[in-house]
Structures are given as structure tokens and as C-alpha cells.
Amino acid sequence: MSIQSRYRHTLVIHRNGATGAVDDYGQPVVAESTVATVPGLVQPRKAREVELASQAGAVVADYVAYIDPLAGLLTGDWVEVGGVRYDILSISDAGGTGHHLELGLRQVS
């Protein structure tokens, strides 16, 4: 059974890009754009409660996503699945043969 047969989520991949304009402080203005919408599988890895005073009570959850190879995917991108945002922490060739990618994710919202 192939891993693609287990893809049950729709992942929308987003990226911030410069618009060519600058703000009042001379900084580039960025805008969100959709890079791709792909099938995939998102699964939880672990969750823990953050003990920092600035994040008291917050739960940080790490996830893994499996997708087919996607050219140009960056760790600065993020994934949205069902209205939940996940930052991409790592991208690895899971099988080492270019068959599929394994994305290390952190849930943001």
C-alpha cells in the first residue's frame, strides 16, 4: 500500500513575499500568497505544556506531515489544514529516494 493512499488532508501552503512597496519606515511590505494546495497526511508527534512565564499555560504541539515532493518548498512557509496553521520547522526526504517529503510542523493556531 502506498503512502499516497493514506493522504486524507488538504494542505494549503502559504508564503510571505515582498510586494515591491515599502512602508513609512522604509521596510519592504510583504503579502501572503498561496504556494500550493496538495493532498497529505498530518499526524501529532508530541505535545507539552510550556513553562515560560510569557507563555503560561500554552500548549505547544509538534506534528509531522507527509506530502509528495514539492519543488521550492521552504522552512519559511507555513501550512494550513482545516483552518489550523502549522509552521514548517524541517523538510526531509523521508525515504531518501525522492518518493515523499516529511515535514516537521509546529501548530500555531
Side-chain angles (χ1 to χ4, degrees):
M1 180 179 286
S2 70
I3 191 167
Q4 287 83 0
S5 67
R6 299 187 185 272
Y7 292 170
R8 64 176 187 252
H9 300 113
T10 299
L11 286 68
V12 182
I13 301 171
H14 299 277
R15 176 179 299 154
N16 279 331
T19 62
V22 294
D23 64 13
D24 294 339
Y25 300 101
Q27 299 297 317
V29 175
V30 296
E32 176 185 322
S33 64
T34 300
V35 176
T37 301
V38 296
L41 177 65
V42 178
Q43 296 181 322
R45 272 202 177 148
K46 61 183 175 179
R48 64 188 183 284
E49 194 165 324
V50 178
E51 297 180 10
L52 297 175
S54 63
Q55 298 177 348
V59 175
V60 175
D62 292 328
Y63 289 78
V64 62
Y66 302 97
I67 63 171
D68 288 341
L70 182 62
L73 186 63
L74 305 169
T75 54
D77 299 340
W78 68 91
V79 175
E80 188 175 313
V81 180
V84 178
R85 176 182 164 158
Y86 302 89
D87 284 344
I88 299 176
L89 304 177
S90 64
I91 303 169
S92 62
D93 181 358
T97 61
H99 183 264
H100 65 279
L101 297 178
E102 181 178 310
L103 309 178
L105 305 176
R106 174 147 307 142
Q107 183 178 344
V108 176
S109 63

